[in-house]
């Protein structure tokens, strides 16, 4: 069945691709509405053939109701999300084609002689803070063909507000200036500010909105799903009434009545999740940037709907440029990897201003460590993701690090090394005054120094970094003292456990020192960096005796290895801490021993069926670090091999989570993801594209 579907979609692909480039791959999960950690709705790839009855999921896997029903000359059809065993039984549309770009997932279906497109657009517009910060996503339903009477309906249920099973929900309907807005929220949310249930926000409200126009009046209804949908199916419009709420069976629905259609017509709905108090930054509420201009939800969603044409044309330019540049950089498989990574990378971020002042000169960005523990502004999440910021808008490095630097500069973190994160759980960026953040001393100190240089280089403006000179020098001094003879500690890959003298950390320390020395013109640090690099590489402290590869750990562990991905910023930022021979050695080691057979028991088999694992002890690989390493190699077979392996994982049809950055590269269960899903660290996949230069896909370039 799946195979036939693939054949069909390939066939259709070849037809469509004559006009515009399309991606024929089935991803593990399609982003539908993915804008921030609490607006993150996906359609698992294995459900797409059954789209008319398939429900989307929140990124963590909770089921959500989001349906689309259409009516053609009195006959209703389900296009999405109508349970085929439910009370409302409808003929299902036939799924014809599915594809995705960086900003949009599109499904084409047919009902008799009409065809339909469902386009789910989540804008990615980092430099346009207003557009980027709006916590809404577009669903545009287009009918192609002619009929005397067309009506289009969509609904969402109470589970969008978290706490499935809790019947205590309230709703608010607002209808002014032809704008229909439903807000849906937990009744006793007042004492739930900043609280989550299984990663869903319990405060704030889910929003469904649409606008009436000259050609169509929007009708509305809420209540038990069967009653609301039956109104539409029977009469083509809703009764503009709210029936008593029905717990998990309750939906809010909106319907457009287009009347006669000739050719093609579209209607657009907005779906969102609004938190007025978005983030708790050190006790102060931060709200979405957009609230400076549009302080109420109704105003914000009205602007969002009005902005559709411009948002869509910007999205189209981004999709096309990204596809073109990524293909030129590393082929069409690489372009598909980046297309699937883009919304997810920005979907981990909120862009905010202080709620009290709404001062747009005080913009801060917050990022959630999705899946692993929910930490906020984790420095070693910003680090792997930074290539996407470097490419799309390097200011995000500053926006994400500024909240951390303010906290460090205030002296509330007393350790001599950089803090791991700004709070144990999103959205509480309340720091760790108890001094108990997860300790990754060399990791985070190196990360901060490198990121600060990356920002200065990419923007051409070192002034932000210069404000923190003394603070940063303290961390450089820490690396001088602890960067070569490294005490037992964790690195970013905490699942692999702590080690002393981990080579990849030592590389990070040397590169970090060099970054500091370069940025501040303090020769001493650059000299020490070179000295450390000479010990590690030239003198062989961190290689095997024959200089074939970097070891996992030194001294005296010649058979061990780990991918030394921390070389990447050394090359990207032109720091030359390590000589080209170090990169060449690494490239040769990771491309020489290929084991495409499944018997990967030989210890020399570095590459499994889905690529190279993190180190010799693991079966699992990290997609972000693998792309960093591939970018370090430069163009060529080794890089292509890494890209092919990640693409094979992404498209193997064995899993259906939002893009996982951690998966088994070898072993019995090769090709399956492990723990991590929907993480913004997929921004690291842009490492190869970053070679095009900073801001190469920025607003200015589109
Ligand atoms: C929140 O408020 C409701 C009443 O509005 C109460 O039933 C509930 O116990 C409160 N929860 C907490 C955690 O205080
Ligand atoms: C954030 O902190 C508040 C207390 O200020 C707490 O009620 C809430 O549960 C916390 N949120 C998370 C996700 O831990
Ligand atoms: C770490 O490496 C240094 C050599 O640079 C060595 O002196 C030290 O004993 C090593 N530490 C451990 C725990 O092996």
């Amino acid at each position: 069945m799946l195979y036939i579907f693939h054949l069909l979609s390939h066939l259709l692909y070849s037809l469509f691709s004559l006009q515009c480039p399309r991606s024929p791959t089935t991803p593990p999960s399609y982003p539908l509405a993915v804008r921030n950690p609490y607006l993150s709705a996906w359609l698992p790839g294995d459900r797409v053939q059954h789209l008319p009855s398939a429900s989307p999921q929140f990124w963590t896997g909770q089921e959500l109701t989001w349906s689309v029903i259409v009516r053609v000359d009195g006959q209703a059809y389900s296009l999405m999300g109508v349970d085929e065993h439910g009370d409302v039984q409808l003929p299902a549309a036939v799924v014809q084609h599915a594809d995705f770009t960086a900003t949009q997932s599109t499904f084409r279906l047919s009902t008799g002689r009409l065809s339909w497109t469902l386009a789910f657009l989540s804008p990615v517009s980092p430099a346009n803070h207003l557009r980027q910060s709006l916590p809404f996503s577009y669903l545009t339903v287009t009918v192609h063909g002619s009929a005397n009477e067309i009506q289009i309906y969509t609904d969402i249920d109470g589970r969008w507000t978290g706490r499935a099973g809790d019947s205590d929900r309230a709703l608010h309907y607002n209808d002014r200036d032809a704008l229909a807005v439903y807000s849906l929220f937990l009744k006793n949310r007042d004492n739930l500010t900043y609280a989550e249930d299984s990663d869903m926000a319990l405060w704030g409200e889910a929003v469904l909105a649409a606008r009436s126009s000259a050609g169509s009046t929007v009708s509305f209804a809420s209540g038990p799903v069967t009653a609301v949908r039956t109104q539409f199916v029977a009469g083509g419009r809703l009764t503009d009434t709210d029936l008593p709420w029905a717990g998990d069976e309750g939906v809010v629905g909106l319907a457009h009545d287009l009347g006669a259609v000739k050719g093609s017509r579209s209607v657009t709905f907005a779906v969102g999740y609004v938190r007025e108090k978005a983030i708790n930054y050190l006790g102060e509420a931060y709200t979405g940037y957009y609230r400076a201009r549009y302080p109420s939800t109704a105003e914000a969603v009205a602007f969002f709907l009005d902005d559709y044409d411009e948002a869509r044309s910007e999205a189209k330019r981004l999709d096309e440029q990204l596809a073109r540049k990524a293909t030129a950089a590393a082929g069409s498989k690489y372009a598909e990897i980046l297309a699937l990574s883009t919304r997810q990378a920005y979907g981990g971020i909120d862009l905010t201003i202080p709620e009290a002042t709404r001062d747009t000169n005080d913009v801060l960005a917050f990022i959630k460590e999705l899946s692993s523990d929910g930490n906020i502004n984790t420095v070693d999440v910003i680090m792997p993701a930074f290539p996407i910021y470097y490419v799309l808008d390097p200011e995000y490095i500053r926006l994400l690090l500024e909240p951390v630097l303010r906290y460090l500069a205030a002296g509330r973190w007393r350790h001599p090394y950089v803090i791991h994160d700004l709070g144990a759980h999103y959205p509480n960026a309340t720091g760790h005054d108890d001094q108990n953040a997860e300790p990754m001393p060399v990791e985070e100190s190196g990360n901060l120094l490198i990121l600060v240089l990356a920002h200065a280089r990419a923007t051409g403006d070192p002034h932000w970094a210069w404000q923190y000179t003394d603070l940063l020098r303290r961390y450089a001094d820490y690396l001088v003292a602890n960067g070569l003879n490294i005490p037992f500690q964790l690195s970013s890959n905490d699942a692999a456990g702590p080690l002393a003298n981990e080579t990849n950390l030592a590389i990070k320390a040397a590169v970090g020192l060099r970054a500091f020395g370069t940025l501040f013109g303090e020769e001493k640090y650059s000299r020490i960096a070179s000295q450390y690099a000479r010990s590690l590489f030239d003198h062989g402290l961190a290689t095997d005796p024959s200089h074939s590869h970097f070891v996992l750990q030194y001294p005296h562990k010649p058979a061990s290895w780990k991918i030394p991905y921390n070389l990447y910023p050394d090359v990207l930022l032109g720091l030359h801490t390590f000589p080209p021979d170090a990169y060449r050695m690494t490239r040769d080691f990771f491309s020489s021993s290929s084991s495409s057979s499944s018997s990967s028991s030989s210890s020399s088999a570095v590459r499994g069926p889905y690529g190279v694992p993190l180190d010799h002890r693991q079966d699992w690989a990290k997609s972000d670090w693998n792309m960093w390493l591939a970018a370090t190699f430069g163009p060529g077979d080794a890089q292509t091999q890494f890209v092919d392996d990640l693409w094979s994982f992404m498209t193997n049809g064995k899993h259906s989570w939002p893009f996982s950055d951690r998966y088994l590269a070898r072993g019995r269960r090769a090709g399956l993801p492990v723990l991590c899903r929907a993480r913004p660290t997929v921004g690291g996949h842009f490492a190869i594209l970053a070679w095009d230069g900073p801001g190469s896909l920025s607003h200015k370039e589109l």
Side-chain angles (χ1 to χ4, degrees), residues 71 153 231 285 290 319 353 439 537 615 691:
R71 214 163 161 273
Y153 164 93
Q231 287 173 17
Y290 66 92
D319 291 347
I353 51 175
F537 178 69
D615 67 45
W691 280 111

Side-chain angles (χ1 to χ4, degrees), residues 279-346:
I279 297 285
N280 171 10
Y281 179 50
L282 302 176
E284 192 186 346
Y286 272 61
T287 194
Y289 179 94
Y290 66 92
R291 287 187 103 87
R293 282 257 300 269
Y294 303 108
S296 75
T297 298
E299 290 165 287
V301 79
F303 169 76
F304 181 74
L305 287 167
D306 292 344
D307 189 42
Y308 178 66
D309 287 340
E310 274 186 53
R312 192 184 49 164
S313 51
E314 185 198 32
K316 218 170 150 231
R317 289 195 300 277
L318 175 61
D319 291 347
E320 285 167 4
Q321 294 271 354
L322 176 58
R324 194 173 57 72
K325 291 193 176 192
T327 305
S332 60
K333 290 180 177 176
Y334 185 57
E336 290 184 12
I337 292 169
L338 296 196
L340 189 62
S341 306
T342 306
R343 276 168 289 179
Q344 178 168 322
Y346 284 96

Side-chain angles (χ1 to χ4, degrees), residues 386-465:
F386 100 84
I388 196 173
Y389 315 137
Y390 190 85
V391 170
L392 267 73
D393 181 8
E395 278 300 339
Y396 275 64
I397 300 172
R398 175 179 67 80
L399 295 170
L400 288 162
L401 286 177
E402 175 67 12
V404 181
L405 282 165
R406 283 188 199 169
Y407 180 72
L408 294 174
R412 289 168 68 171
W413 176 250
R414 295 191 300 276
H415 293 288
Y417 50 81
V418 172
I419 200 167
H420 172 265
D421 59 72
L422 202 45
H425 211 103
Y426 209 87
N428 291 323
T430 44
H432 290 279
D433 287 1
D434 65 0
Q435 311 303 311
N436 273 336
E438 187 179 13
M440 292 187 187
V442 172
E443 171 75 45
E444 309 300 19
S445 302
N447 287 343
L448 183 63
L449 299 181
I450 294 166
L451 286 169
V452 161
L453 176 70
H455 174 268
R457 279 285 170 78
T459 59
D461 182 1
H463 289 90
W464 169 63

Side-chain angles (χ1 to χ4, degrees), residues 484-488 499-502 535-536 541 553-555 557:
L484 191 62
N485 186 352
I486 303 180
F488 190 72
L499 287 175
N501 287 344
E502 185 183 327
S535 300
L536 293 166
L541 174 63
Q553 187 186 12
Y554 54 85
K557 298 273 195 299

Side-chain angles (χ1 to χ4, degrees), residues 487-503:
F488 190 72
Q489 63 189 270
L490 290 172
S491 75
S492 177
N493 310 286
D494 48 4
L499 287 175
N501 287 344
E502 185 183 327
T503 302

